[in-house]
């Protein structure tokens, strides 16, 4: 049976802007499956995670009181292999957001041909207001609550917004205690001494930089002297600024949550990196700032949103001057804005491709944990370059073959192996 449009979410057009991440993700999954000729049963299977566990768990706070936290773990689809994806610690975490993020992880793994489906976790909390020991108890309690459904061959977590290698270390230790054996492959993004991988910290930015190189080649832009704007100066944005500066590009704009800096002659990135704090803030030190909104509309060749979602919308897309946009952030460009930009001839490298360097090196970490043998930084970098280039060109060629934009092409590439695996397993 062909996919019926009646029970499916509408694909937003330029008149109707859809800022809800789950509905817009379902709409693009629907379009990708329809174009690939799959039926409605396949859409029903892939439009939601197979499993989502909601947990409530008590944590003893430093003042002796007990606070009960809510957390989630979503497993989108395990037809290909175990699920994989980060754990977000943020006050704004919602179940729908975790569902959508688990679907994006499936697509990312599909594009890079990793032997995983997508997963995602989250805890509603604000670690910025908690002590170190409260965060440790929270991390351990969350792992105890979800331990039945995760594991090195079931579902492998990783860091995400506001979680880091220390959280991963506590979580791995807790899981190893529960299982009564050392389980480094249970989680990735660990410190190096506990089985982490070289290159993991900068992997997302490195992947973005590789996509920029490939996109610049197809658009005939020389990286030497290319004007680059990066929105966000956190893990992804700051490493990327360094990579671009070192490769001879002119980083003309950067920003954080408080404002933006722009200089058409190029910013002094090493100096700004010295001055930024651990939350990726630097603009507070300057008086001559512009807003994030203004930054996105400044002259540049390459624009990298590396902060938060829904930054390029139908209201500002027409004013964007870049000819290449590489999405480091998840969901920074709406569907309506994608259409406006694509019609203008802007090459958009979508998030599911642009920021996949993180999950690729997480995969390398898991492989190294499983084999008990560790690779050098050079080996990791070479493998990452090979996989990112291959992913970029697979999506680029699919866009040409099917006459669609890079985002839809990325979903068509990313969803196919999952759908085929489900079919071979006899699920659909
Ligand atoms: P981060 O927390 O380290 O940094 C975020 C940066 O964005 C900071 O500079 C912050 O000041 C800025 N920011 C926050 N709110 C903002 C706002 N309203 N306007 C403008 N700037 C704002 O986060 P990160 O790890 O660099 O992640 C950035 C984006 O990249 C997120 O969308 C994340 O999901 C995505 N991403 C990151 C990774 C990774 O490995 N770090 C992997 C995949 C995707």
């Amino acid at each position: 049976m062909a996919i019926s449009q009646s029970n499916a979410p509408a694909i937003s057009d330029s008149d109707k802007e859809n800022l809800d991440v789950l509905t817009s993700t379902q709409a693009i999954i629907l379009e990708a499956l329809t174009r690939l000729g799959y039926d409605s049963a396949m859409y029903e299977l892939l439009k939601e995670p197979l499993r989502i566990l909601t947990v409530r768990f008590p944590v003893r706070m430093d003042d002796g009181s007990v606070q009960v936290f809510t957390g989630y773990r979503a497993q989108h689809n395990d037809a290909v292999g175990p699920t994989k994806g980060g754990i977000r610690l943020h006050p704004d975490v919602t179940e729908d957001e975790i569902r959508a993020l688990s679907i994006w992880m499936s697509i990312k793994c599909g594009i890079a041909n990793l032997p995983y489906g997508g997963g995602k976790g989250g805890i509603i909390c604000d670690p910025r207001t908690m002590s170190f020991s409260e965060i440790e108890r929270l991390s351990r309690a969350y792992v105890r609550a979800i331990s039945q459904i995760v594991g090195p061959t079931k579902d492998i977590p990783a860091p995400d917004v506001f979680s880091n290698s220390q959280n991963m270390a506590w979580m791995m230790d807790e899981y190893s205690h529960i299982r009564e054996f050392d389980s480094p492959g249970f989680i990735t993004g660990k410190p190096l001494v506990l089985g982490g991988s070289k290159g993991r910290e900068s992997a997302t930015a490195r992947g973005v930089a590789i996509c920029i190189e490939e996109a610049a080649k197809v658009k005939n832009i020389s990286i030497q002297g290319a004007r680059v704007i990066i929105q966000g100066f956190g893990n992804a944005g700051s490493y990327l600024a360094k990579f671009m500066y070192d490769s001879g590009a002119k980083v003309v704009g950067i920003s954080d949550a408080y404002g933006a800096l722009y200089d058409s002659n190029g910013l002094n990135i090493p100096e700004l990196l010295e001055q930024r704090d651990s939350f990726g803030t630097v603009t507070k030190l300057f008086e001559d700032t512009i807003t994030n909104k203004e930054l996105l509309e400044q002259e540049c060749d390459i624009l990298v949103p590396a902060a938060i979602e829904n930054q390029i919308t139908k209201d500002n897309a027409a004013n964007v001057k870049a000819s290449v946009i590489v999405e480091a952030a998840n969901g920074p460009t709406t569907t309506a804005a994608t259409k406006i930009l694509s019609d203008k001839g802007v090459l958009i490298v979508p998030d599911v491709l642009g920021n996949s360097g993180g999950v690729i090196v997480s995969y390398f970490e898991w492989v190294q944990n499983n084999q008990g043998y560790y690779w050098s930084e050079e080996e990791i970098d070479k493998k990452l370059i090979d996989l990112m280039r291959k992913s970029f060109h697979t999506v680029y060629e699919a866009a040409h073959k099917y006459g669609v934009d890079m985002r839809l092409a990325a979903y068509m590439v990313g969803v196919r192996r999952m759908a085929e695996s489900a079919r071979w397993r006899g699920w659909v």
Side-chain angles (χ1 to χ4, degrees):
M1 190 176 66
I3 294 178
S4 142
Q5 299 285 339
S6 61
N7 61 352
I11 296 165
S12 43
D13 55 31
S14 49
D15 297 316
K16 262 190 298 140
E17 186 137 58
N18 191 353
L19 302 181
D20 168 56
V21 284
L22 182 59
T23 325
S24 55
T25 302
Q26 289 174 330
I28 193 162
I29 294 272
L30 172 67
E31 186 160 2
L33 288 172
T34 307
R35 283 180 183 262
L36 291 169
Y38 287 103
D39 64 11
S40 59
M42 192 63 84
Y43 174 68
E44 282 303 309
L45 179 72
L46 300 181
K47 73 175 187 184
E48 288 273 352
L50 289 178
R51 264 166 245 111
I52 176 150
L53 178 67
T54 303
V55 291
R56 295 181 71 249
F57 50 94
V59 175
R60 177 84 53 197
M61 308 306 279
D62 289 346
D63 65 3
S65 66
V66 169
Q67 204 170 315
V68 179
F69 290 88
T70 300
Y72 306 100
R73 185 72 197 170
Q75 298 171 341
H76 173 240
N77 195 282
D78 53 11
V80 172
T83 46
K84 175 109 194 69
I87 298 167
R88 179 167 291 203
L89 309 185
H90 199 280
D92 299 336
V93 161
T94 66
E95 189 177 322
D96 267 4
E97 176 195 42
I98 299 299
R99 284 174 195 269
L101 287 165
S102 74
I103 303 176
W104 292 355
M105 286 305 298
S106 283
I107 302 296
K108 282 186 210 186
C109 294
I111 294 169
N113 214 15
L114 308 181
Y116 298 134
K120 202 78 184 185
I123 307 173
I124 304 171
C125 67
D126 192 346
R128 291 167 299 186
T129 63
M130 297 170 69
S131 73
F132 204 62
S133 51
E134 286 171 344
I135 299 173
E136 175 176 355
R137 290 193 288 275
L138 175 95
S139 304
R140 290 182 183 278
Y142 174 72
V143 168
R144 288 195 296 277
I146 63 164
S147 68
Q148 290 296 321
I149 66 159
V150 289
T153 53
K154 273 191 192 173
D155 180 15
I156 305 130
D160 195 75
V161 176
F162 289 162
S163 59
N164 55 28
S165 55
Q166 176 61 81
N167 300 94
M168 301 304 110
W170 289 323
M171 290 182 180
M172 188 275 276
D173 184 63
E174 191 65 28
Y175 186 82
S176 298
H177 277 295
I178 294 167
R179 294 282 170 256
E180 297 184 336
F181 55 80
D182 190 41
S183 308
F186 153 63
I187 206 160
T188 60
K190 301 179 294 292
L192 277 180
V193 289
L194 289 181
S197 178
K198 299 243 168 69
R200 176 64 185 84
E201 184 87 7
S202 58
T204 301
R206 187 76 186 104
V208 175
I210 296 162
C211 283
I212 290 176
E213 277 169 30
E214 297 310 301
K217 275 184 216 156
V218 302
K219 290 291 260 184
N220 277 323
I221 298 171
S222 164
I223 291 290
Q224 285 293 324
R227 296 162 305 165
V228 182
I229 289 180
I230 302 169
Q231 185 196 29
F233 210 50
N235 172 280
S238 67
Y239 273 112
L240 179 67
K242 166 116 180 65
F243 290 142
M244 296 317 295
Y245 182 89
D246 290 348
S247 63
K250 208 196 288 182
V251 182
V252 291
I254 62 107
S255 77
D256 57 33
Y258 304 93
L261 302 172
Y262 182 84
D263 183 344
S264 57
N265 295 317
L267 297 164
N268 186 337
I269 295 300
E271 210 172 276
L272 292 172
L273 289 170
E274 285 283 311
Q275 292 169 299
R276 76 185 265 282
D277 71 14
S278 62
F279 292 106
T281 307
V282 72
T283 65
K284 276 180 166 176
L285 302 172
F286 297 83
E287 282 177 2
D288 195 13
T289 59
I290 58 174
T291 65
N292 266 281
K293 186 174 175 300
E294 288 165 337
L295 180 74
L296 297 174
E297 299 180 7
Q298 298 299 313
E299 291 291 341
C300 68
D301 302 301
I302 297 161
L303 172 63
V304 183
I308 54 167
E309 64 281 0
N310 294 331
Q311 292 301 290
I312 308 176
T313 66
K314 70 179 172 57
D315 298 329
N316 62 356
N319 301 332
V320 168
K321 311 284 189 311
S323 51
V324 170
I325 297 176
V326 181
E327 296 179 340
N330 282 314
T333 315
T334 64
T335 310
T338 299
K339 179 157 186 344
I340 295 169
L341 291 160
S342 301
D343 289 350
K344 278 209 306 178
V346 177
L347 178 64
I348 304 177
V349 180
D351 46 10
V352 285
L353 168 61
N355 68 29
S356 60
V359 68
I360 290 174
V361 178
S362 267
Y363 164 61
F364 296 158
E365 180 174 334
W366 179 76
V367 170
Q368 292 169 86
N369 294 152
N370 289 346
Q371 67 186 5
Y373 179 76
Y374 289 82
W375 298 323
S376 68
E377 189 137 18
E378 292 70 34
E379 284 171 287
I380 299 280
D381 199 46
K382 184 182 175 320
K383 290 181 202 305
L384 177 62
I385 292 171
D386 288 349
L387 212 42
M388 285 301 306
R389 281 189 183 153
K390 196 166 163 214
S391 300
F392 179 92
H393 289 286
T394 305
V395 171
Y396 188 72
E397 278 151 30
H400 280 267
K401 179 174 168 192
Y402 294 104
V404 298
D405 63 48
M406 289 280 280
R407 190 180 313 282
L408 182 52
Y411 273 75
M412 291 173 75
V413 171
V415 84
R416 195 200 301 260
R417 194 179 51 158
M418 193 167 36
E420 282 307 293
S421 302
R423 194 138 75 177
W424 276 98
R425 283 177 184 265
W427 292 358
V428 179

